[in-house]
Amino acid sequence: MQQLVDQLIQEGYFEGVPKDFVYTGFMVLVALLVLSFFVAPLAGITSWLERRVWARIQSRVGPNRVGPQGILQWLADGIKNLLKEDIIPTAADKRLFALAPYVVFVGFFATFVVIPFGSQLIVADLNIGILYLLAITSLVVVGILMAGWSSNNKWSLLGGMRSAAQIVSYEIPAGLALLTIVFAAGTLSMQGIIKAQGWAPWDWLLFYNPFTFAAFFLYFTAALAEGNRTPFDIPEAESELVAGYVTEYSGMRFLFFFFAEWGNLYVIGAIATTLFLGGWQIPPITDHPVLVGILQFIVFFLKAYLWVFVAMWVRGTLPRVRVDQLMSLCWKYMVPLSFICLLGTAAWMVIWPQGNRVASFVMFLIGVAILGLFFRRVRFQIRHAQPVLYWKPYI
Amino acid sequence: MLFDFANVLVFLGLGFAFVGVNLLIGRLLRPSNPQARKLSTYECGEPASGSAWVNFNIRFYIVALIFIIFEVEIAFVFPVATAFRRWIESGQGLFAFVEIVVFVGILFLGLIYAWAKGDLEWVKKVKA
């Protein structure tokens, strides 16, 4: 981006304007564009789609009234929440209570700085990309703890504490799974990691060795837990904690917590895509720079959104785990396993410094076999249970 | 370099501003009709009994302590992970690997210690 702005300045578009002003103006413009044309509609449409997908999983219809197929439901929800009275309990710590949604939202929104939508489409390719992601997403924990504590409500406090314990616990396996990829790619920059992969699935870091393959699943599970998603949504378990840390929130402040949650789903998918699934890499079919950019964006978006869909599907399918099961799953299974992945990848690199193409290809075939087995199983279930299927995806 | 990090600052600022502006617009549009009952703490319809700012389970502190150790470890392994490939290329791969195993192993011993002490159990059994 800097080169582009420098070029515009040299061509004399901004005569007499100080250079820093031009830079700042462009940065604010880019951030505004990302926010209003990508993040806000994305989080909104994800919330609508999740409700639709869920509804179909549970044999319901879901919101389908506002706009075609209900796709504008998120706008209606936003306007409604905007017009709702803002209630701050008298017993609450008002300043912290008001600040909490800011912290949660900022911690989520700032992740979009380093998400690479294409080889040119990135706000800033920080050289510490992954470390930055780990650091900035930790802000969300602070916000949730603030919300839980400041509400002065027992449900909120319990929800906030549970959430903090859960998020910090699952940050360890998630961080170690990311480290596994840093070992394999040898860089922290998001673009660098994508460039270390190829467009073909067997060139993805997912299939680099058996350990990165396992690390992917560890990362995805841990990321679901970090996003407070089912089956790890005990911080806001309705049946025991009312609404957890958002119990006392209403209207717009309430909305921002869920804005961040639904937007975060896409961030999880985008990180998984960048690190494991080859990011924006496309086959060399065209040289046209604009066409390449569009194709890269589409490929990246679809790969990332696939995982959003999987997260919705998981939420519609699995029951919630108990708090002690949650902790033992993290510390007794996922942390040791991710340590093994880390050391295994390091050992693999010492043994095969150039990578092992045969092993990658075998891993790819195993992956395809697992997927095939899954679909076979689905077909078996359908044949066995003889359900009445409606193939119409909408009503 | 600075340009890249300035972007982070702009994103942080704009995130704050976005929430602030939305709340401000909301303030102009939404009703405000506070009542003592409405502003009371929610406790399933019953009058709230006492403050929620009480002592809570010590488990949460222990989880936080174990977390700090491992998070610091991850932060330390990041530079090593970045430079690992260069080490291998200069023929010191095995040495670097052993170093990593020693560093991670010491911390893993810590996890085993916490496990053996029963600190990873959510409900710790106390010997009578």
Side-chain angles (χ1 to χ4, degrees):
Chain A
M1 196 167 99
Q2 195 174 9
Q3 285 122 4
L4 180 80
V5 182
D6 280 340
Q7 203 186 341
L8 284 176
I9 290 173
Q10 276 194 352
E11 284 170 14
Y13 280 101
F14 304 104
E15 283 291 334
V17 187
K19 209 173 169 187
D20 290 346
F21 276 35
V22 181
Y23 278 169
T24 318
F26 262 87
M27 285 179 212
V28 173
L29 187 72
V30 165
L32 265 176
L33 287 177
V34 170
L35 177 60
S36 49
F37 288 104
F38 192 75
V39 180
L42 182 84
I45 289 174
T46 305
S47 82
W48 162 75
L49 192 72
E50 173 160 44
R51 289 167 68 186
R52 280 312 294 261
V53 168
W54 247 16
R56 296 320 298 270
I57 287 173
Q58 299 165 351
S59 292
R60 294 184 287 117
V61 177
N64 67 344
R65 293 286 145 177
V66 192
Q69 293 302 315
I71 198 165
L72 295 178
Q73 182 68 42
W74 60 283
L75 274 178
D77 288 344
I79 293 167
K80 178 180 169 160
N81 273 306
L82 193 67
L83 298 175
K84 280 285 170 189
E85 186 175 352
D86 185 38
I87 299 167
I88 300 181
T90 28
D93 182 337
K94 289 188 183 54
R95 280 195 195 138
L96 275 185
F97 189 86
L99 189 62
Y102 287 87
V103 177
V104 170
F105 183 77
V106 164
F108 143 71
F109 180 55
T111 51
F112 279 87
V113 175
V114 290
I115 290 181
F117 298 105
S119 53
Q120 305 300 322
L121 270 175
I122 182 169
V123 177
D125 182 23
L126 300 184
N127 52 4
I128 53 157
I130 293 181
L131 196 61
Y132 168 78
L133 270 179
L134 267 182
I136 206 83
T137 45
S138 302
L139 266 185
V140 176
V141 191
V142 179
I144 286 174
L145 255 185
M146 276 163 97
W149 175 256
S150 68
S151 297
N152 198 355
N153 178 319
K154 279 139 203 155
W155 306 125
S156 298
L157 180 72
L158 272 176
M161 293 312 293
R162 275 188 186 186
S163 181
Q166 172 185 335
I167 295 177
V168 299
S169 299
Y170 278 88
E171 209 160 293
I172 307 300
L176 286 171
L178 299 187
L179 258 179
T180 310
I181 291 304
V182 176
F183 266 106
T187 172
L188 291 171
S189 137
M190 299 293 264
Q191 296 286 34
I193 289 169
I194 292 181
K195 280 172 194 151
Q197 310 175 52
W199 62 270
W202 48 87
D203 286 334
W204 294 350
L205 283 175
L206 174 64
F207 301 118
Y208 180 72
N209 63 24
F211 302 104
T212 49
F213 191 71
F216 172 74
F217 294 98
L218 287 172
Y219 170 73
F220 192 67
T221 316
L224 282 185
E226 275 193 82
N228 291 333
R229 299 280 308 178
T230 325
F232 309 108
D233 68 337
I234 53 155
E236 39 188 291
E238 297 86 354
S239 49
E240 33 189 298
L241 286 184
V242 187
Y245 53 88
V246 288
T247 303
E248 291 291 359
Y249 282 88
S250 58
M252 222 41 200
R253 292 185 206 279
F254 173 81
L255 189 74
F256 278 114
F257 284 102
F258 283 89
F259 195 134
E261 183 180 321
W262 274 307
N264 227 344
L265 274 186
Y266 183 77
V267 175
I268 291 168
I271 296 171
T273 306
T274 308
L275 298 181
F276 297 93
L277 300 171
W280 41 255
Q281 294 276 15
I282 52 166
I285 46 172
T286 169
D287 279 336
H288 194 278
V290 177
L291 205 62
V292 166
I294 292 170
L295 276 179
Q296 283 174 343
F297 181 80
I298 292 173
V299 164
F300 185 86
F301 187 84
L302 288 182
K303 277 183 193 170
Y305 217 80
L306 174 72
W307 297 105
V308 178
F309 178 72
V310 171
M312 291 171 185
W313 186 6
V314 166
R315 190 172 181 182
T317 315
L318 295 182
R320 185 179 291 142
V321 297
R322 226 165 47 207
V323 64
D324 61 320
Q325 292 169 335
L326 184 95
M327 286 300 158
S328 63
L329 172 69
C330 174
W331 289 107
K332 294 183 185 171
Y333 297 91
M334 288 177 67
V335 170
L337 272 178
S338 47
F339 268 118
I340 292 169
C341 287
L342 183 78
L343 294 179
T345 304
W348 189 277
M349 286 176 66
V350 173
I351 300 168
W352 290 291
Q354 304 302 322
N356 189 334
R357 297 276 300 177
V358 179
S360 296
F361 204 74
V362 171
M363 288 304 302
F364 170 63
L365 290 182
I366 291 172
V368 172
I370 290 172
L371 213 61
L373 203 68
F374 171 73
F375 282 114
R376 223 182 112 93
R377 191 76 201 154
V378 170
R379 207 182 62 173
F380 171 77
Q381 293 285 352
I382 289 173
R383 288 205 177 156
H384 187 70
Q386 298 281 330
V388 185
L389 291 177
Y390 297 100
W391 291 109
K392 211 171 154 191
Y394 51 84
I395 289 178
Chain B
M1 192 71 255
L2 269 179
F3 188 86
D4 289 347
F5 281 98
N7 268 308
V8 175
L9 199 65
V10 167
F11 264 70
L12 291 176
L14 195 81
F16 255 94
F18 180 70
V19 181
V21 167
N22 266 302
L23 287 172
L24 196 73
I25 296 172
R27 172 172 279 183
L28 301 175
L29 296 174
R30 69 192 170 215
S32 176
N33 184 18
Q35 295 160 12
R37 281 273 174 85
K38 199 191 276 177
L39 297 181
S40 64
T41 302
Y42 176 77
E43 222 157 84
C44 301
E46 301 284 327
S49 61
S51 165
W53 293 333
V54 290
N55 297 341
F56 47 83
N57 201 331
I58 190 100
R59 297 282 100 208
F60 294 111
Y61 290 107
I62 291 175
V63 168
L65 276 177
I66 305 177
F67 158 73
I68 290 284
I69 297 164
F70 282 95
E71 192 72 350
V72 170
E73 179 213 345
I74 288 177
F76 276 127
V77 177
F78 261 112
V80 182
T82 321
F84 193 58
R85 198 171 274 282
R86 257 172 281 158
W87 262 323
I88 292 175
E89 276 158 13
S90 63
Q92 290 177 301
L94 199 64
F95 173 69
F97 177 67
V98 171
E99 291 256 289
I100 293 169
V101 169
V102 169
F103 182 69
V104 171
I106 290 170
L107 279 148
F108 200 71
L109 274 181
L111 182 72
I112 292 170
Y113 177 76
W115 198 334
K117 291 285 267 184
D119 283 327
L120 298 184
E121 311 291 333
W122 194 252
V123 183
K124 191 177 177 180
K125 288 188 186 74
V126 183
K127 276 176 200 149

